[in-house]
Amino acid sequence: MTQDSTATPPVARGQAAARKAPRPVHPLLHKLFELYPRLFGARFLPLKIGIYQDLVAAHPEALPAAELKVALGLHTRSTRYIEAVAAGLARHDLQGKPVEPVAPEHVHHAILELYKRRSGRGPEQARERAVAQLAAAIEASGLSREAYRERFTSPDDDVHSMLEEALSVMAQRAARREALQNAFQASGKTMAEFAEMYGLDPNEARRLLAQ
């Protein structure tokens, strides 16, 4: 085999380099990081509804409206931002203070978007993570399992299957919690004694038994 036959063609090398080159960052995203590092820094936080108008009003010259809309669109479609929404973190204002919860619909759709983005690299791990996140979202939503199913049922068989699996996880947790509460009431033990008897972390026992 000759050297020419094993060398990577220049065009192919150029294509590979282009694929690896990082995307340029919108200049206003740099500016937003400088102005609000708690929102746009190393850790992204969900933004309050209407923060675009707040930013335009606060910095009309530094953040031109049309360019800001593009920059915020890039930011909120980024995987890091969607991860923050999927985690159920509260929405924050310009001062970095939590002001409102993220709606269950937004959390739900963020989890599914993350699953879609991750499933190409590791479908099994992506599914496990999505089911765990859905179970947490159901618990945090304040909705009953039946109400959540009714609101978020999907014609997509894969999504429907994940939702049913998450609902099953929640049912198992509820049954375990009820069994522990009944056992605690019948035990005559203090919470610390009961936690030790069942090998539970005291804080976890307190959380389970208080519900």
Side-chain angles (χ1 to χ4, degrees):
M1 184 176 292
T2 66
Q3 183 177 358
D4 289 343
S5 65
T6 58
T8 303
V11 173
R13 289 199 299 271
Q15 291 173 342
R19 285 196 298 270
K20 294 179 181 178
R23 294 180 180 180
V25 177
H26 194 287
L28 280 198
L29 290 177
H30 287 299
K31 189 64 178 178
L32 287 169
F33 167 69
E34 293 174 5
L35 293 169
Y36 303 102
R38 292 185 63 186
L39 297 179
F40 301 93
R43 183 192 186 206
F44 287 1
L45 293 171
L47 304 173
K48 63 163 283 197
I49 303 299
I51 206 163
Y52 165 74
Q53 289 83 359
D54 294 346
L55 285 165
V56 171
H59 308 280
E61 296 183 4
L63 302 174
E67 293 180 42
L68 177 62
K69 186 172 291 187
V70 173
L72 283 179
L74 293 170
H75 178 75
T76 56
R77 288 193 297 271
S78 71
T79 297
R80 286 174 61 198
Y81 183 85
I82 295 172
E83 285 173 343
V85 175
L89 301 177
R91 293 190 181 277
H92 289 66
D93 64 13
L94 291 183
Q95 287 68 49
K97 297 179 180 178
V99 293
E100 57 191 342
V102 174
E105 288 82 359
H106 295 167
V107 176
H108 182 85
H109 292 303
I111 292 169
L112 296 184
E113 177 61 24
L114 286 179
Y115 169 68
K116 178 181 176 183
R117 295 186 185 194
R118 292 167 172 161
S119 57
R121 298 192 300 270
E124 292 184 8
Q125 295 87 341
R127 182 185 177 85
E128 288 179 8
R129 189 167 182 180
V131 169
Q133 288 182 309
L134 284 171
I138 295 166
E139 187 169 26
S141 71
L143 299 169
S144 68
R145 295 192 298 276
E146 293 74 17
Y148 198 96
R149 177 188 285 114
E150 182 177 352
R151 183 178 295 191
F152 296 110
T153 189
S154 171
D156 185 305
D157 289 342
D158 191 31
V159 172
H160 177 75
S161 174
M162 286 195 302
L163 177 57
E164 289 301 316
E165 189 174 340
L167 289 166
S168 177
V169 169
M170 291 304 303
Q172 292 170 13
R173 289 180 184 174
R176 176 175 179 264
R177 185 161 53 240
E178 183 178 0
L180 282 173
Q181 289 170 341
N182 291 338
F184 174 63
Q185 292 172 3
S187 70
K189 304 283 187 182
T190 66
M191 189 171 294
E193 291 170 339
F194 184 81
E196 183 177 0
M197 183 170 64
Y198 277 83
L200 298 171
D201 177 82
N203 292 329
E204 176 68 6
R206 191 173 296 108
R207 185 185 71 80
L208 289 171
L209 298 175
Q211 296 177 353

